[in-house]
PDB file of all heavy atoms in Angstrom:
ATOM      1  N   ARG P  38    -128.381 123.467  75.985  1.00 98.00           N
ATOM      2  CA  ARG P  38    -128.402 124.817  75.433  1.00 98.00           C
ATOM      3  C   ARG P  38    -127.030 125.197  74.901  1.00 98.00           C
ATOM      4  O   ARG P  38    -126.007 124.699  75.371  1.00 98.00           O
ATOM      5  CB  ARG P  38    -128.872 125.828  76.474  1.00 98.00           C
ATOM      6  CG  ARG P  38    -127.943 126.037  77.656  1.00 98.00           C
ATOM      7  CD  ARG P  38    -128.594 126.960  78.683  1.00 98.00           C
ATOM      8  NE  ARG P  38    -127.731 127.215  79.833  1.00 98.00           N
ATOM      9  CZ  ARG P  38    -128.120 127.866  80.921  1.00 98.00           C
ATOM     10  NH1 ARG P  38    -129.372 128.338  81.009  1.00 98.00           N
ATOM     11  NH2 ARG P  38    -127.273 128.056  81.919  1.00 98.00           N
ATOM     12  N   GLN P  39    -127.088 126.083  73.933  1.00 98.00           N
ATOM     13  CA  GLN P  39    -125.852 126.549  73.305  1.00 98.00           C
ATOM     14  C   GLN P  39    -125.948 128.044  73.056  1.00 98.00           C
ATOM     15  O   GLN P  39    -126.809 128.486  72.296  1.00 98.00           O
ATOM     16  CB  GLN P  39    -125.576 125.799  72.004  1.00 98.00           C
ATOM     17  CG  GLN P  39    -124.232 126.094  71.396  1.00 98.00           C
ATOM     18  CD  GLN P  39    -123.901 125.136  70.270  1.00 98.00           C
ATOM     19  OE1 GLN P  39    -124.769 124.495  69.693  1.00 98.00           O
ATOM     20  NE2 GLN P  39    -122.602 125.021  69.957  1.00 98.00           N
ATOM     21  N   ALA P  40    -125.078 128.788  73.696  1.00 96.00           N
ATOM     22  CA  ALA P  40    -124.993 130.227  73.480  1.00 96.00           C
ATOM     23  C   ALA P  40    -123.987 130.487  72.355  1.00 96.00           C
ATOM     24  O   ALA P  40    -123.119 129.649  72.085  1.00 96.00           O
ATOM     25  CB  ALA P  40    -124.554 130.913  74.763  1.00 96.00           C
ATOM     26  N   PRO P  41    -124.074 131.646  71.711  1.00 92.00           N
ATOM     27  CA  PRO P  41    -123.156 131.960  70.615  1.00 92.00           C
ATOM     28  C   PRO P  41    -121.696 131.853  71.049  1.00 92.00           C
ATOM     29  O   PRO P  41    -121.302 132.394  72.082  1.00 92.00           O
ATOM     30  CB  PRO P  41    -123.518 133.403  70.252  1.00 92.00           C
ATOM     31  CG  PRO P  41    -124.944 133.525  70.643  1.00 92.00           C
ATOM     32  CD  PRO P  41    -125.087 132.699  71.887  1.00 92.00           C
ATOM     33  N   GLY P  42    -120.913 131.103  70.287  1.00 94.00           N
ATOM     34  CA  GLY P  42    -119.493 130.965  70.570  1.00 94.00           C
ATOM     35  C   GLY P  42    -119.154 130.002  71.680  1.00 94.00           C
ATOM     36  O   GLY P  42    -117.992 129.885  72.066  1.00 94.00           O
ATOM     37  N   LYS P  43    -120.154 129.315  72.204  1.00 96.00           N
ATOM     38  CA  LYS P  43    -119.922 128.387  73.319  1.00 96.00           C
ATOM     39  C   LYS P  43    -120.351 126.980  72.929  1.00 96.00           C
ATOM     40  O   LYS P  43    -121.061 126.762  71.960  1.00 96.00           O
ATOM     41  CB  LYS P  43    -120.673 128.850  74.569  1.00 96.00           C
ATOM     42  CG  LYS P  43    -120.180 130.185  75.118  1.00 96.00           C
ATOM     43  CD  LYS P  43    -120.810 130.499  76.452  1.00 96.00           C
ATOM     44  CE  LYS P  43    -120.242 131.785  77.027  1.00 96.00           C
ATOM     45  NZ  LYS P  43    -120.830 132.098  78.359  1.00 96.00           N
ATOM     46  N   GLN P  44    -119.916 126.005  73.709  1.00 97.00           N
ATOM     47  CA  GLN P  44    -120.296 124.624  73.445  1.00 97.00           C
ATOM     48  C   GLN P  44    -121.711 124.355  73.942  1.00 97.00           C
ATOM     49  O   GLN P  44    -122.265 125.128  74.723  1.00 97.00           O
ATOM     50  CB  GLN P  44    -119.317 123.676  74.147  1.00 97.00           C
ATOM     51  CG  GLN P  44    -119.380 123.714  75.665  1.00 97.00           C
ATOM     52  CD  GLN P  44    -118.387 122.752  76.295  1.00 97.00           C
ATOM     53  OE1 GLN P  44    -117.410 122.341  75.683  1.00 97.00           O
ATOM     54  NE2 GLN P  44    -118.643 122.360  77.535  1.00 97.00           N
ATOM     55  N   ARG P  45    -122.264 123.265  73.465  1.00 98.00           N
ATOM     56  CA  ARG P  45    -123.602 122.861  73.890  1.00 98.00           C
ATOM     57  C   ARG P  45    -123.474 122.140  75.227  1.00 98.00           C
ATOM     58  O   ARG P  45    -122.732 121.169  75.359  1.00 98.00           O
ATOM     59  CB  ARG P  45    -124.240 121.936  72.852  1.00 98.00           C
ATOM     60  CG  ARG P  45    -125.682 121.617  73.108  1.00 98.00           C
ATOM     61  CD  ARG P  45    -126.290 120.797  71.970  1.00 98.00           C
ATOM     62  NE  ARG P  45    -126.271 121.508  70.700  1.00 98.00           N
ATOM     63  CZ  ARG P  45    -126.852 121.042  69.594  1.00 98.00           C
ATOM     64  NH1 ARG P  45    -127.485 119.880  69.607  1.00 98.00           N
ATOM     65  NH2 ARG P  45    -126.766 121.727  68.478  1.00 98.00           N
ATOM     66  N   ASP P  46    -124.227 122.598  76.206  1.00 98.00           N
ATOM     67  CA  ASP P  46    -124.152 122.053  77.557  1.00 98.00           C
ATOM     68  C   ASP P  46    -125.491 121.493  78.008  1.00 98.00           C
ATOM     69  O   ASP P  46    -126.556 122.009  77.622  1.00 98.00           O
ATOM     70  CB  ASP P  46    -123.726 123.129  78.564  1.00 98.00           C
ATOM     71  CG  ASP P  46    -122.296 123.586  78.352  1.00 98.00           C
ATOM     72  OD1 ASP P  46    -121.440 122.749  78.003  1.00 98.00           O
ATOM     73  OD2 ASP P  46    -122.035 124.791  78.538  1.00 98.00           O
ATOM     74  N   MET P  47    -125.436 120.478  78.839  1.00 98.00           N
ATOM     75  CA  MET P  47    -126.649 119.909  79.414  1.00 98.00           C
ATOM     76  C   MET P  47    -127.270 120.905  80.394  1.00 98.00           C
ATOM     77  O   MET P  47    -126.564 121.487  81.222  1.00 98.00           O
ATOM     78  CB  MET P  47    -126.338 118.595  80.110  1.00 98.00           C
ATOM     79  CG  MET P  47    -127.543 117.770  80.530  1.00 98.00           C
ATOM     80  SD  MET P  47    -128.278 118.260  82.112  1.00 98.00           S
ATOM     81  CE  MET P  47    -126.969 117.767  83.236  1.00 98.00           C
ATOM     82  N   VAL P  48    -128.571 121.051  80.304  1.00 98.00           N
ATOM     83  CA  VAL P  48    -129.316 121.893  81.240  1.00 98.00           C
ATOM     84  C   VAL P  48    -130.026 121.026  82.262  1.00 98.00           C
ATOM     85  O   VAL P  48    -129.902 121.232  83.472  1.00 98.00           O
ATOM     86  CB  VAL P  48    -130.345 122.766  80.508  1.00 98.00           C
ATOM     87  CG1 VAL P  48    -131.182 123.573  81.494  1.00 98.00           C
ATOM     88  CG2 VAL P  48    -129.649 123.679  79.506  1.00 98.00           C
ATOM     89  N   ALA P  49    -130.788 120.052  81.767  1.00 98.00           N
ATOM     90  CA  ALA P  49    -131.538 119.165  82.648  1.00 98.00           C
ATOM     91  C   ALA P  49    -131.911 117.908  81.885  1.00 98.00           C
ATOM     92  O   ALA P  49    -132.094 117.953  80.669  1.00 98.00           O
ATOM     93  CB  ALA P  49    -132.797 119.849  83.175  1.00 98.00           C
ATOM     94  N   SER P  50    -132.037 116.808  82.630  1.00 98.00           N
ATOM     95  CA  SER P  50    -132.456 115.557  82.013  1.00 98.00           C
ATOM     96  C   SER P  50    -133.342 114.793  82.970  1.00 98.00           C
ATOM     97  O   SER P  50    -133.305 115.021  84.194  1.00 98.00           O
ATOM     98  CB  SER P  50    -131.243 114.708  81.619  1.00 98.00           C
ATOM     99  OG  SER P  50    -130.521 114.308  82.772  1.00 98.00           O
ATOM    100  N   ILE P  51    -134.134 113.881  82.403  1.00 97.00           N
ATOM    101  CA  ILE P  51    -135.035 113.071  83.202  1.00 97.00           C
ATOM    102  C   ILE P  51    -135.132 111.688  82.580  1.00 97.00           C
ATOM    103  O   ILE P  51    -135.272 111.547  81.371  1.00 97.00           O
ATOM    104  CB  ILE P  51    -136.419 113.744  83.332  1.00 97.00           C
ATOM    105  CG1 ILE P  51    -137.325 112.957  84.274  1.00 97.00           C
ATOM    106  CG2 ILE P  51    -137.064 113.959  81.967  1.00 97.00           C
ATOM    107  CD1 ILE P  51    -138.579 113.738  84.689  1.00 97.00           C
ATOM    108  N   THR P  52    -135.038 110.648  83.413  1.00 95.00           N
ATOM    109  CA  THR P  52    -135.134 109.285  82.919  1.00 95.00           C
ATOM    110  C   THR P  52    -136.591 108.831  82.878  1.00 95.00           C
ATOM    111  O   THR P  52    -137.488 109.509  83.394  1.00 95.00           O
ATOM    112  CB  THR P  52    -134.336 108.337  83.818  1.00 95.00           C
ATOM    113  OG1 THR P  52    -135.004 108.258  85.097  1.00 95.00           O
ATOM    114  CG2 THR P  52    -132.914 108.828  84.024  1.00 95.00           C
ATOM    115  N   SER P  53    -136.800 107.648  82.316  1.00 91.00           N
ATOM    116  CA  SER P  53    -138.153 107.102  82.265  1.00 91.00           C
ATOM    117  C   SER P  53    -138.700 106.852  83.666  1.00 91.00           C
ATOM    118  O   SER P  53    -139.916 106.871  83.876  1.00 91.00           O
ATOM    119  CB  SER P  53    -138.169 105.805  81.462  1.00 91.00           C
ATOM    120  OG  SER P  53    -137.274 104.863  82.035  1.00 91.00           O
ATOM    121  N   GLY P  54    -137.813 106.638  84.611  1.00 92.00           N
ATOM    122  CA  GLY P  54    -138.235 106.413  85.983  1.00 92.00           C
ATOM    123  C   GLY P  54    -138.429 107.678  86.783  1.00 92.00           C
ATOM    124  O   GLY P  54    -138.859 107.625  87.937  1.00 92.00           O
ATOM    125  N   GLY P  55    -138.108 108.808  86.177  1.00 94.00           N
ATOM    126  CA  GLY P  55    -138.336 110.084  86.843  1.00 94.00           C
ATOM    127  C   GLY P  55    -137.125 110.686  87.525  1.00 94.00           C
ATOM    128  O   GLY P  55    -137.228 111.753  88.142  1.00 94.00           O
ATOM    129  N   SER P  56    -135.977 110.048  87.419  1.00 97.00           N
ATOM    130  CA  SER P  56    -134.771 110.618  88.014  1.00 97.00           C
ATOM    131  C   SER P  56    -134.326 111.824  87.200  1.00 97.00           C
ATOM    132  O   SER P  56    -134.305 111.774  85.976  1.00 97.00           O
ATOM    133  CB  SER P  56    -133.643 109.585  88.047  1.00 97.00           C
ATOM    134  OG  SER P  56    -133.986 108.500  88.878  1.00 97.00           O
ATOM    135  N   THR P  57    -133.975 112.890  87.911  1.00 98.00           N
ATOM    136  CA  THR P  57    -133.607 114.132  87.233  1.00 98.00           C
ATOM    137  C   THR P  57    -132.167 114.520  87.531  1.00 98.00           C
ATOM    138  O   THR P  57    -131.581 114.131  88.551  1.00 98.00           O
ATOM    139  CB  THR P  57    -134.539 115.276  87.656  1.00 98.00           C
ATOM    140  OG1 THR P  57    -134.465 115.428  89.086  1.00 98.00           O
ATOM    141  CG2 THR P  57    -135.973 114.989  87.259  1.00 98.00           C
ATOM    142  N   ASN P  58    -131.636 115.319  86.620  1.00 98.00           N
ATOM    143  CA  ASN P  58    -130.279 115.827  86.772  1.00 98.00           C
ATOM    144  C   ASN P  58    -130.274 117.243  86.225  1.00 98.00           C
ATOM    145  O   ASN P  58    -130.883 117.507  85.177  1.00 98.00           O
ATOM    146  CB  ASN P  58    -129.285 114.951  86.007  1.00 98.00           C
ATOM    147  CG  ASN P  58    -127.851 115.335  86.289  1.00 98.00           C
ATOM    148  OD1 ASN P  58    -127.524 115.768  87.390  1.00 98.00           O
ATOM    149  ND2 ASN P  58    -126.991 115.182  85.310  1.00 98.00           N
ATOM    150  N   TYR P  59    -129.614 118.149  86.941  1.00 98.00           N
ATOM    151  CA  TYR P  59    -129.597 119.554  86.528  1.00 98.00           C
ATOM    152  C   TYR P  59    -128.170 120.097  86.507  1.00 98.00           C
ATOM    153  O   TYR P  59    -127.328 119.713  87.322  1.00 98.00           O
ATOM    154  CB  TYR P  59    -130.403 120.415  87.504  1.00 98.00           C
ATOM    155  CG  TYR P  59    -131.876 120.139  87.529  1.00 98.00           C
ATOM    156  CD1 TYR P  59    -132.424 119.243  88.451  1.00 98.00           C
ATOM    157  CD2 TYR P  59    -132.743 120.779  86.642  1.00 98.00           C
ATOM    158  CE1 TYR P  59    -133.781 118.987  88.481  1.00 98.00           C
ATOM    159  CE2 TYR P  59    -134.099 120.535  86.666  1.00 98.00           C
ATOM    160  CZ  TYR P  59    -134.614 119.643  87.584  1.00 98.00           C
ATOM    161  OH  TYR P  59    -135.964 119.396  87.601  1.00 98.00           O
ATOM    162  N   ALA P  60    -127.945 121.024  85.614  1.00 98.00           N
ATOM    163  CA  ALA P  60    -126.704 121.784  85.657  1.00 98.00           C
ATOM    164  C   ALA P  60    -126.732 122.658  86.912  1.00 98.00           C
ATOM    165  O   ALA P  60    -127.794 123.144  87.317  1.00 98.00           O
ATOM    166  CB  ALA P  60    -126.566 122.648  84.414  1.00 98.00           C
ATOM    167  N   ASP P  61    -125.573 122.852  87.507  1.00 98.00           N
ATOM    168  CA  ASP P  61    -125.511 123.650  88.736  1.00 98.00           C
ATOM    169  C   ASP P  61    -126.087 125.054  88.521  1.00 98.00           C
ATOM    170  O   ASP P  61    -126.707 125.629  89.417  1.00 98.00           O
ATOM    171  CB  ASP P  61    -124.067 123.757  89.225  1.00 98.00           C
ATOM    172  CG  ASP P  61    -123.552 122.452  89.807  1.00 98.00           C
ATOM    173  OD1 ASP P  61    -124.382 121.585  90.154  1.00 98.00           O
ATOM    174  OD2 ASP P  61    -122.319 122.301  89.906  1.00 98.00           O
ATOM    175  N   SER P  62    -125.893 125.599  87.346  1.00 97.00           N
ATOM    176  CA  SER P  62    -126.307 126.977  87.080  1.00 97.00           C
ATOM    177  C   SER P  62    -127.816 127.169  87.059  1.00 97.00           C
ATOM    178  O   SER P  62    -128.298 128.308  87.127  1.00 97.00           O
ATOM    179  CB  SER P  62    -125.718 127.444  85.746  1.00 97.00           C
ATOM    180  OG  SER P  62    -126.153 126.613  84.690  1.00 97.00           O
ATOM    181  N   VAL P  63    -128.583 126.086  86.959  1.00 98.00           N
ATOM    182  CA  VAL P  63    -130.039 126.224  86.877  1.00 98.00           C
ATOM    183  C   VAL P  63    -130.762 125.583  88.064  1.00 98.00           C
ATOM    184  O   VAL P  63    -131.992 125.688  88.158  1.00 98.00           O
ATOM    185  CB  VAL P  63    -130.588 125.627  85.565  1.00 98.00           C
ATOM    186  CG1 VAL P  63    -129.868 126.236  84.361  1.00 98.00           C
ATOM    187  CG2 VAL P  63    -130.497 124.107  85.560  1.00 98.00           C
ATOM    188  N   LYS P  64    -130.027 124.934  88.938  1.00 98.00           N
ATOM    189  CA  LYS P  64    -130.662 124.287  90.092  1.00 98.00           C
ATOM    190  C   LYS P  64    -131.432 125.307  90.918  1.00 98.00           C
ATOM    191  O   LYS P  64    -130.944 126.392  91.203  1.00 98.00           O
ATOM    192  CB  LYS P  64    -129.608 123.605  90.960  1.00 98.00           C
ATOM    193  CG  LYS P  64    -129.078 122.304  90.377  1.00 98.00           C
ATOM    194  CD  LYS P  64    -128.033 121.666  91.285  1.00 98.00           C
ATOM    195  CE  LYS P  64    -127.504 120.371  90.688  1.00 98.00           C
ATOM    196  NZ  LYS P  64    -126.440 119.770  91.520  1.00 98.00           N
ATOM    197  N   GLY P  65    -132.641 124.941  91.280  1.00 98.00           N
ATOM    198  CA  GLY P  65    -133.481 125.825  92.067  1.00 98.00           C
ATOM    199  C   GLY P  65    -134.304 126.798  91.231  1.00 98.00           C
ATOM    200  O   GLY P  65    -135.197 127.449  91.760  1.00 98.00           O
ATOM    201  N   ARG P  66    -133.981 126.912  89.956  1.00 98.00           N
ATOM    202  CA  ARG P  66    -134.715 127.819  89.079  1.00 98.00           C
ATOM    203  C   ARG P  66    -135.474 127.078  87.979  1.00 98.00           C
ATOM    204  O   ARG P  66    -136.572 127.509  87.582  1.00 98.00           O
ATOM    205  CB  ARG P  66    -133.758 128.823  88.426  1.00 98.00           C
ATOM    206  CG  ARG P  66    -133.000 129.682  89.402  1.00 98.00           C
ATOM    207  CD  ARG P  66    -132.192 130.779  88.687  1.00 98.00           C
ATOM    208  NE  ARG P  66    -131.183 130.243  87.792  1.00 98.00           N
ATOM    209  CZ  ARG P  66    -131.138 130.509  86.484  1.00 98.00           C
ATOM    210  NH1 ARG P  66    -132.039 131.295  85.922  1.00 98.00           N
ATOM    211  NH2 ARG P  66    -130.173 129.992  85.740  1.00 98.00           N
ATOM    212  N   PHE P  67    -134.906 126.006  87.460  1.00 98.00           N
ATOM    213  CA  PHE P  67    -135.520 125.241  86.372  1.00 98.00           C
ATOM    214  C   PHE P  67    -136.039 123.910  86.920  1.00 98.00           C
ATOM    215  O   PHE P  67    -135.440 123.320  87.825  1.00 98.00           O
ATOM    216  CB  PHE P  67    -134.500 124.942  85.282  1.00 98.00           C
ATOM    217  CG  PHE P  67    -134.031 126.139  84.494  1.00 98.00           C
ATOM    218  CD1 PHE P  67    -134.342 127.443  84.880  1.00 98.00           C
ATOM    219  CD2 PHE P  67    -133.285 125.965  83.344  1.00 98.00           C
ATOM    220  CE1 PHE P  67    -133.913 128.537  84.147  1.00 98.00           C
ATOM    221  CE2 PHE P  67    -132.849 127.035  82.596  1.00 98.00           C
ATOM    222  CZ  PHE P  67    -133.156 128.325  83.010  1.00 98.00           C
ATOM    223  N   THR P  68    -137.137 123.449  86.335  1.00 98.00           N
ATOM    224  CA  THR P  68    -137.701 122.159  86.692  1.00 98.00           C
ATOM    225  C   THR P  68    -138.039 121.388  85.435  1.00 98.00           C
ATOM    226  O   THR P  68    -138.771 121.897  84.578  1.00 98.00           O
ATOM    227  CB  THR P  68    -138.964 122.314  87.543  1.00 98.00           C
ATOM    228  OG1 THR P  68    -138.664 123.057  88.730  1.00 98.00           O
ATOM    229  CG2 THR P  68    -139.513 120.948  87.940  1.00 98.00           C
ATOM    230  N   ILE P  69    -137.517 120.178  85.338  1.00 98.00           N
ATOM    231  CA  ILE P  69    -137.835 119.313  84.198  1.00 98.00           C
ATOM    232  C   ILE P  69    -138.889 118.307  84.626  1.00 98.00           C
ATOM    233  O   ILE P  69    -138.862 117.807  85.766  1.00 98.00           O
ATOM    234  CB  ILE P  69    -136.564 118.608  83.650  1.00 98.00           C
ATOM    235  CG1 ILE P  69    -136.855 117.933  82.321  1.00 98.00           C
ATOM    236  CG2 ILE P  69    -135.986 117.633  84.671  1.00 98.00           C
ATOM    237  CD1 ILE P  69    -135.596 117.451  81.595  1.00 98.00           C
TER     238      ILE P  69
END
Side-chain angles (χ1 to χ4, degrees):
R38 67 186 181 187
Q39 188 169 20
K43 295 188 176 181
Q44 67 180 21
R45 188 175 298 186
D46 293 323
M47 191 277 292
V48 176
S50 65
I51 185 167
T52 68
S53 58
S56 296
T57 58
N58 188 33
Y59 294 94
D61 288 342
S62 59
V63 306
K64 284 180 180 177
R66 300 187 298 121
F67 291 10
T68 302
I69 191 169

